[in-house]
Amino acid sequence: MNDLALLLTPEGRALLDEVRDTEPAQELAVATRLRRDHPAELVSAALGQARLRQRAVAKFGAEDAGRMFFTPNGVEQSTRTSVATYRARRLKELGVTCVADLCCGIGGDAVALARAGIRVLAVDRDPLTAAVARANAEALGLAGLIEVREADVTEVDTAGYDAVFVDPARRGGRGRVFDPEAYSPPLSWAVETAARAPHAALKIAPGIPHEVVPAAAEAEWISDGGDVKEAVLWFGTGAPGAVRATLLPGPRTLLGRGLPDPAVRPVGRYLYEPDGAVIRAHLVAEVAEEVGGGLLDATIAYVTADEPRPTPYATAYEITDRMPFNVKKLKALLREREVGTLTVKKRGSAVEPEELRRKVRPQGPNAATVFLTRVAGAPTMLIGAPVRAGDRASAPG
Ligand SMILES: C[S@@+](CC[C@H](N)C(=O)[O-])C[C@H]1O[C@@H](n2cnc3c(N)ncnc32)[C@H](O)[C@@H]1O
């Protein structure tokens, strides 16, 4: 019996409950104790699964992660609930009632789709992964909506489904795969399959070059809590060629308007750091227009402006000082201002933030942010602090 089958027995389930909160440091002692009453193989499977569940909490939340089953690759490659739920709702809004989830992994997306009320055919060719997806549908009470099939997705007939969702494997033997044709299955196969369905969503790496986005697709970059998570190619949304950046938990969606690159302008009192999804979607111009700003430098995604206009798509900072990059000068300034908490941000600078912090040894009760960047090509430090909501309301303009 494999580990999963062992864990699905009544003894396995009871043991999983028992070891649920085991800390890594306690594992050896817990294993030794449990082996007195249970087979060693089951004990190590339960402890391994408990560890994976703990890792999965960040993606799935404690409640679901505590009931689901994972493989090491499965937890790593799965979509977090926030993003999967957002996509599932979009499909639901498009009128989708049944979807073929091609490359379902342990079922992160299938679960969110089913919870949105969509029937799911979930396909994965890896036998253990498919079995885990099945166990997860069962564990979360969604078996009635999710049919798991162990098969190669290239051999699955998707006719009859109103949508296909494809989340290809992007990890090869050596880390992440950047070439979309090296995805398994390749992106070109996914795009062809998408074209045959009324609606489709293909999950891809956020670093994908814009040139490879097919003309028929709408491209959306998604971040969660400020971290870029993925890009999605949508088909059948009625907006071919559209570009969007969506920020979760919102969701807040910025639509591209095809604006030209913003002009470079002199440094103003405010600096806006666009969200990573906005930057990846190439929508910095849309944000610059929203805040009435321009670029600090033609090649860098920092926007500078004279006013603190609130926008969900960028974090605003009030800049108090500007000087050429110079560690000694920064150290002196921070000492004078009694800055003990220094946040280092950089774009267009090779300086290591940690190393800089070590060199300037900030001390004191105050906090500041330093931006290491280029202004009109010259290495520059801009020092300031985030604009808080209250400041924005009272600030002029
Ligand atoms: C990125 S994971 C999917 C993660 C999933 N969306 C989730 O949230 O849990 C990709 C999966 O594709 C599967 N896969 C890769 N090529 C496949 C193929 N040709 N047929 C079926 N499954 C495939 C792998 O076994 C892997 O489980």
Side-chain angles (χ1 to χ4, degrees):
M1 221 191 277
N2 66 30
D3 281 4
L4 177 68
L6 287 173
L7 293 172
L8 290 173
T9 60
E11 185 186 7
R13 289 176 190 271
L15 205 58
L16 264 175
D17 281 342
E18 199 175 332
V19 301
R20 143 178 213 141
D21 299 318
T22 308
E23 310 258 347
Q26 308 168 317
E27 262 186 29
L28 196 60
V30 170
T32 309
R33 175 170 57 78
L34 292 174
R35 274 198 219 108
R36 287 186 209 126
D37 301 315
H38 303 280
E41 206 186 344
L42 176 59
V43 171
S44 79
L47 283 167
Q49 191 56 235
R51 223 178 299 137
L52 292 174
R53 285 179 166 183
Q54 287 164 10
R55 256 168 59 196
V57 168
K59 282 189 172 179
F60 294 95
E63 200 177 323
D64 280 355
R67 289 155 72 196
M68 291 169 74
F69 295 88
F70 300 96
T71 60
N73 278 342
V75 70
E76 182 111 337
Q77 300 191 358
S78 57
T79 308
R80 60 187 47 239
T81 301
S82 54
V83 180
T85 303
Y86 166 73
R87 273 200 264 92
R89 286 187 184 149
R90 254 202 105 183
L91 285 172
K92 185 77 183 168
E93 280 162 19
L94 289 167
V96 167
T97 60
C98 56
V99 59
D101 175 1
L102 307 176
C103 294
C104 69
I106 54 96
D109 284 290
V111 163
L113 289 161
R115 281 184 173 155
I118 297 173
R119 264 192 314 110
V120 187
L121 168 67
V123 185
D124 204 289
R125 70 177 169 192
D126 179 62
L128 175 61
T129 304
V132 170
R134 202 170 286 121
N136 286 337
E138 189 80 42
L140 299 178
L142 298 166
L145 281 166
I146 302 176
E147 177 201 338
V148 178
R149 191 180 299 168
E150 181 194 317
D152 190 311
V153 294
T154 59
E155 284 159 20
V156 172
D157 180 7
T158 57
Y161 290 88
D162 359 287
V164 293
F165 169 69
V166 190
D167 180 5
R170 286 186 269 136
R171 276 156 223 265
R174 284 176 288 133
R176 279 184 176 272
V177 173
F178 289 104
D179 173 9
E181 282 314 292
Y183 289 177
S184 174
L187 185 62
S188 53
W189 175 86
V191 169
E192 276 166 33
T193 306
R196 286 197 297 273
H199 305 281
L202 315 182
K203 173 175 162 179
I204 51 177
I208 191 159
H210 284 223
E211 304 84 80
V212 308
V213 173
E218 175 200 311
E220 180 173 34
W221 276 261
I222 302 177
S223 66
D224 188 10
D227 292 328
V228 183
K229 296 299 178 195
E230 64 178 53
V232 194
L233 300 181
W234 294 92
F235 297 80
T237 58
V243 175
R244 313 158 45 118
T246 292
L247 281 55
L248 302 177
R252 301 293 301 249
T253 294
L254 179 66
L255 277 177
R257 284 182 287 125
L259 299 182
D261 287 345
V264 173
R265 50 148 284 170
V267 179
R269 189 164 147 201
Y270 296 92
L271 181 147
Y272 292 83
E273 182 186 28
D275 184 275
V278 170
I279 297 175
R280 295 280 201 175
H282 296 180
L283 299 182
V284 174
E286 278 72 358
V287 167
E289 190 183 81
E290 198 174 317
V291 302
L295 294 184
L296 279 180
D297 185 284
T299 60
I300 290 175
Y302 281 142
V303 172
T304 179
D306 299 320
E307 294 171 13
R309 289 195 202 157
T311 168
Y313 304 112
T315 309
Y317 294 82
E318 182 168 4
I319 299 301
T320 51
D321 301 87
R322 168 195 173 170
M323 53 179 85
F325 179 75
N326 181 311
V327 176
K328 271 193 191 150
K329 286 204 171 128
L330 178 64
K331 194 170 175 175
L333 183 94
L334 297 176
R335 189 169 313 135
E336 187 190 307
R337 305 267 164 89
E338 297 185 56
V339 170
T341 309
L342 182 68
T343 304
V344 181
K345 302 219 163 229
K346 62 165 200 164
R347 280 194 174 275
S349 164
V351 175
E352 281 302 325
E354 260 323 303
E355 201 183 320
L356 181 69
R357 237 194 309 269
R358 246 196 330 272
K359 282 187 184 154
V360 298
R361 266 181 276 129
Q363 275 174 12
N366 301 321
T369 301
V370 60
F371 293 88
L372 308 177
T373 187
R374 286 197 304 268
V375 174
T380 302
M381 304 187 293
L382 298 172
I383 296 113
V387 176
R388 290 163 306 177
D391 300 345
R392 278 185 191 145
S394 61

